[in-house]
Amino acid sequence: MTPTTVLTVAGSDSGGGAGIQADLKVFAALGAYGTSVLTAVTAQNTRGVDAVLPLPPQTVTEQLDSVLSDFAVRAVKTGMLGTPAVAAAIADAAAAGRLPQLVVDPVLVATSGHRLGVVAAVERLLPYARVATPNSAEAAALTGAAVTDLAEMTTAARALVSGGPEWVIVTGGDVDTGGEAVDVLHGPDGTTVLRAPRVPTRHSHGTGCSFSAATAVRLAMGDSVPVAVAVAKEYVTRALTGARNWELGAGRGPLDHFGWSA
């Protein structure tokens, strides 16, 4: 049987834990065939980002055209866009109806604190998103308001939906909610709070990329948005649990995308 094809538009991570590399691992782990469009090259590892080289918009567009002209892509996720010009190129493709089931992961700041994107680039793409998946810091940057607890996460999700995306899920892995990792989903069906046990680990590099990639796969396979994000949350929880005792690198390590430690 021919596998379902999913596309990631993102930057590379030389350490393999986030970005294009993580997305392709997630696609494979969940049974999809992964294609990719590279927006930037980064020099990074578990300790941080050392350098970022955005690619020219024309190069990004050429990659996109090559993939879309040959593959029946069922869902697309975006990660690091790099520059407003690249975002504009991707937004043009979305406006033309070429990016089905678009999941926008508004990558603005790496776990290390290195700024990888600009708000203007993400805002250009949000109106075309089926789902946007900001974490609390990204939601705060996009709304201009603090996002530090469940109530503020809910307010941010509702505010962002009013700006264009059909659905928004504000992920709360960095929000202090006790022993739980709590996310807030808002969309046409109202607001839903997703809860899972918090995994005690420092190895969380690529969590946002992996969550959005898993959401895209499930949408490509026919799930509704609420079901897709619930499956993605379960997958990321398992991946965090599997890698919690790993010693890959000296900083925040990657996730166990393939269940090697299950």
Side-chain angles (χ1 to χ4, degrees), residues 9-251:
V9 181
S12 84
D13 173 1
S14 51
I20 288 279
Q21 288 87 339
D23 293 344
L24 293 176
K25 291 173 187 177
V26 173
F27 295 166
L30 295 180
Y33 180 80
T35 56
S36 61
V37 169
L38 196 64
T39 61
V41 176
T42 71
Q44 64 175 295
N45 53 32
T46 64
R47 292 175 294 183
V49 180
D50 297 316
V52 177
L53 176 65
L55 294 183
Q58 180 179 347
T59 303
V60 174
T61 299
E62 288 169 346
Q63 295 175 78
L64 189 64
D65 290 343
S66 288
V67 172
L68 295 180
S69 68
D70 193 41
F71 292 89
V73 171
R74 301 297 184 188
V76 180
K77 72 140 289 190
T78 63
M80 176 189 173
L81 299 173
T83 66
V86 167
I90 302 303
D92 287 344
R98 302 176 68 201
L99 306 183
Q101 302 276 27
L102 179 60
V103 178
V104 175
D105 178 16
V107 178
L108 296 174
V109 180
T111 305
S112 63
H114 194 289
R115 189 166 297 277
L116 296 179
V118 293
V119 170
V122 172
E123 289 177 335
R124 185 71 179 262
L125 200 55
L126 285 178
Y128 306 103
R130 179 88 194 278
V131 189
T133 64
N135 61 28
S136 57
E138 291 159 349
L142 290 167
T143 62
V147 180
T148 60
D149 57 27
L150 182 58
E152 291 174 348
M153 290 169 66
T154 302
T155 298
R158 291 173 177 168
L160 289 170
V161 164
S162 69
E166 183 180 352
W167 295 84
V168 170
I169 182 164
V170 178
T171 58
D174 295 326
V175 176
D176 185 5
T177 49
E180 293 182 312
V182 179
D183 307 330
V184 176
L185 174 69
H186 183 72
D189 297 339
T191 303
T192 303
V193 177
L194 291 79
R195 302 177 183 273
R198 184 177 293 277
V199 179
T201 178
R202 65 182 172 89
H203 300 313
S204 57
H205 182 54
T207 304
C209 301
S210 301
F211 177 81
S212 58
T215 298
V217 170
R218 295 310 310 177
L219 290 176
M221 293 181 173
D223 286 349
S224 66
V225 171
V227 171
V229 297
V231 172
K233 185 173 181 64
E234 180 182 356
Y235 169 77
V236 169
T237 300
R238 291 199 309 268
L240 283 165
T241 302
R244 67 190 184 280
N245 294 320
W246 284 6
E247 295 298 333
L248 288 176

Side-chain angles (χ1 to χ4, degrees), residues 4-19:
T4 299
T5 300
V6 185
L7 168 64
T8 171
V9 181
S12 84
D13 173 1
S14 51

